[in-house]
Amino acid sequence: MDLKRLFYGSREVFGLDIGSSYVKAVQLRHDEHGYHVITAGLTAISGDNKDKPAGISEVVRAIRRCMKSAQIKTKNAVCGVSGPNVALRRFRFPSVGVEEVESAVLSEAQQVCPFEEGQYIVDYQLFTNNTGGDLSEAKNPQDRGAIRGVLAAATMGVIGHKSQVVKAASLNCVLIDVDGLALLNCFVECEKESRGEPTGVVCVGSKYTNFAILGSDGVPFVRDIPHAADEIVTDIAGELKVSLQAVRDMAAGKSDGDVKGFEDSMKTAAGAMTSDIARTLRYYSAQEGRKVRKIYICGGFAGAKGFVELLNSQLPVEAVIWNPFNKMHFEGGQGGAKLVKEQGSRLALAAGLAMRTI
């Protein structure tokens, strides 16, 4: 299934991942040999108080610094959204005319999306030729000829806020994607040999953990877990009675600190997140009849000291750090090459956004 468009929309674009702590930007070029990295940037969002959320002006300054350091010339940004104000649902309709599909999708969205009527935007994608995904083997005769696909909905508030921030940075937000779908598209493009059985991608951000599963039939399953890096860091800081920055330094391996205490505290602090991941794995297995056996970890917290080892000890699947840039060619300078080699897992979402076409 090709999920190349969602929400608004070929111009030259770059992927812009605006997080709570960092801004990430990636620009790619695609040809018959695969994807080439033109440039990439990673910039911290610095505020007056590192323990409090940054304001819009601070985020805008970080975007501009990131653009400058990466030397990105185009102003056409592809951004992503996730969290409780975004919903992704599959749908199946009896065989209907092409002109009726859109109204059927909108009607379905009204029934399944937990948002106030009239306060959200909907887009959808049909499974390719309606023979891909779970349509490939229609066991029930009445399923044959059915229309199936996936719809995405996001509140006007979350889309408006993202667009406002990008516009304030003097950029054009030409397309808004769903974070989980962007991650899966990046996975499909970079890990073709890993296809064949359900595989999960877990992106651990500051506020949310995006858990996206690509089924063996190519059908996506996406869930945003409300437990992520900020919660883990805050809980560890409280347990060890140290500052948030001290915990971040220990996680990054920049401080010896109380390493044993840090690792013990992380097991407890990450408990809610690992429990949600395990619960989601069980749900997916029960619904699809197939088990996920491997998950690829990316995002800002993926490289935290002992984190992937913790996941392997707590989850019934193999967890590995994922750097999609290992499967790409780099065309930029040495600084950018070093960045994608050492910090590529943090830039995975930005890479997925950069792969979108409009």
Side-chain angles (χ1 to χ4, degrees), residues 136-158:
S136 56
E137 295 292 337
K139 297 178 181 179
N140 191 324
Q142 66 183 11
D143 281 343
R144 296 181 186 131
I147 302 296
R148 299 196 186 196
V150 60
L151 69 85
T155 63
M156 292 180 180
V158 71

Side-chain angles (χ1 to χ4, degrees), residues 177-215:
D177 198 359
V178 174
D179 287 350
L181 294 182
L183 288 166
L184 288 182
N185 270 332
C186 185
F187 179 81
V188 168
E189 295 292 344
C190 297
E191 308 293 339
K192 293 181 174 63
E193 69 277 9
S194 298
R195 299 287 299 278
E197 62 179 24
T199 306
V201 179
V202 176
C203 184
V204 187
S206 294
K207 301 295 184 184
Y208 299 100
T209 295
N210 310 123
F211 188 10
I213 298 173
L214 185 69

Side-chain angles (χ1 to χ4, degrees), residues 291-347:
K291 287 185 178 182
V292 175
R293 302 188 185 280
K294 188 173 185 178
I295 56 176
Y296 291 74
I297 313 300
C298 59
F301 206 69
K305 191 176 182 65
F307 179 65
V308 171
E309 290 79 2
L310 174 65
L311 294 181
N312 275 302
S313 70
Q314 299 295 307
L315 298 174
V317 294
E318 178 188 4
V320 297
I321 292 183
W322 178 48
N323 183 349
F325 296 93
N326 290 338
K327 302 295 178 67
M328 301 184 200
H329 311 282
F330 192 83
E331 298 180 350
Q334 292 184 352
K338 183 181 181 198
L339 176 66
V340 298
K341 180 180 180 180
E342 297 179 354
Q343 304 282 346
S345 63
R346 305 181 73 164
L347 300 167

Side-chain angles (χ1 to χ4, degrees), residues 32-301:
E32 66 273 15
H33 302 295
Y35 278 94
H36 303 256
V37 184
I38 297 175
T39 186
L42 173 69
T43 301
I45 301 173
S46 56
D48 295 331
N49 187 337
K50 291 186 178 180
D51 291 345
K52 290 186 179 180
I56 289 181
S57 61
E58 294 158 341
V59 175
V60 169
R61 284 196 295 270
I63 293 174
R64 288 173 174 166
R65 290 198 305 272
C66 189
M67 294 286 292
K68 184 177 180 179
S69 67
Q71 298 183 333
I72 295 176
K73 305 303 181 184
T74 179
K75 291 185 176 293
N76 298 323
V78 177
C79 300
V81 290
S82 61
N85 292 313
V86 180
L88 192 74
R89 301 287 188 272
R90 300 183 218 178
F91 60 80
R92 181 186 68 80
F93 308 133
S95 182
V96 296
V98 175
E99 69 282 356
E100 301 176 76
V101 171
E102 184 167 331
S103 60
V105 169
L106 292 175
S107 177
E108 179 75 5
Q110 290 178 354
Q111 297 180 50
V112 301
C113 293
F115 309 132
E116 185 178 346
E117 185 175 351
Q119 297 301 308
Y120 58 92
I121 296 173
V122 179
D123 205 347
Y124 67 95
Q125 183 75 44
L126 299 180
F127 295 149
T128 305
N129 297 323
N130 269 320
T131 58
D134 54 359
L135 270 184
S136 56
E137 295 292 337
K139 297 178 181 179
N140 191 324
Q142 66 183 11
D143 281 343
R144 296 181 186 131
I147 302 296
R148 299 196 186 196
V150 60
L151 69 85
T155 63
M156 292 180 180
V158 71
I159 290 179
H161 176 75
K162 185 76 68 171
S163 300
Q164 177 188 3
V165 171
V166 174
K167 183 177 181 181
S170 302
L171 300 173
N172 306 315
C173 185
V174 294
L175 188 146
I176 293 183
D177 198 359
V178 174
D179 287 350
L181 294 182
L183 288 166
L184 288 182
N185 270 332
C186 185
F187 179 81
V188 168
E189 295 292 344
C190 297
E191 308 293 339
K192 293 181 174 63
E193 69 277 9
S194 298
R195 299 287 299 278
E197 62 179 24
T199 306
V201 179
V202 176
C203 184
V204 187
S206 294
K207 301 295 184 184
Y208 299 100
T209 295
N210 310 123
F211 188 10
I213 298 173
L214 185 69
S216 55
D217 52 10
V219 177
F221 173 92
V222 175
R223 184 183 175 213
D224 294 327
I225 296 173
H227 306 291
D230 283 358
E231 178 180 278
I232 295 172
V233 169
T234 299
D235 287 355
I236 294 175
E239 178 70 22
L240 299 182
K241 295 180 171 54
V242 297
S243 69
L244 298 181
Q245 189 58 45
V247 175
R248 296 188 187 107
D249 289 342
M250 283 188 277
K254 297 179 180 178
S255 169
D256 294 335
D258 182 3
V259 177
K260 181 65 166 59
F262 170 78
E263 293 179 350
D264 289 343
S265 296
M266 183 163 64
K267 182 177 180 179
T268 302
M273 184 185 69
T274 56
S275 293
D276 260 7
I277 293 176
R279 190 178 303 115
T280 302
L281 288 167
R282 290 194 297 271
Y283 174 82
Y284 182 85
S285 177
Q287 292 294 310
E288 304 299 323
R290 297 289 300 274
K291 287 185 178 182
V292 175
R293 302 188 185 280
K294 188 173 185 178
I295 56 176
Y296 291 74
I297 313 300
C298 59
F301 206 69

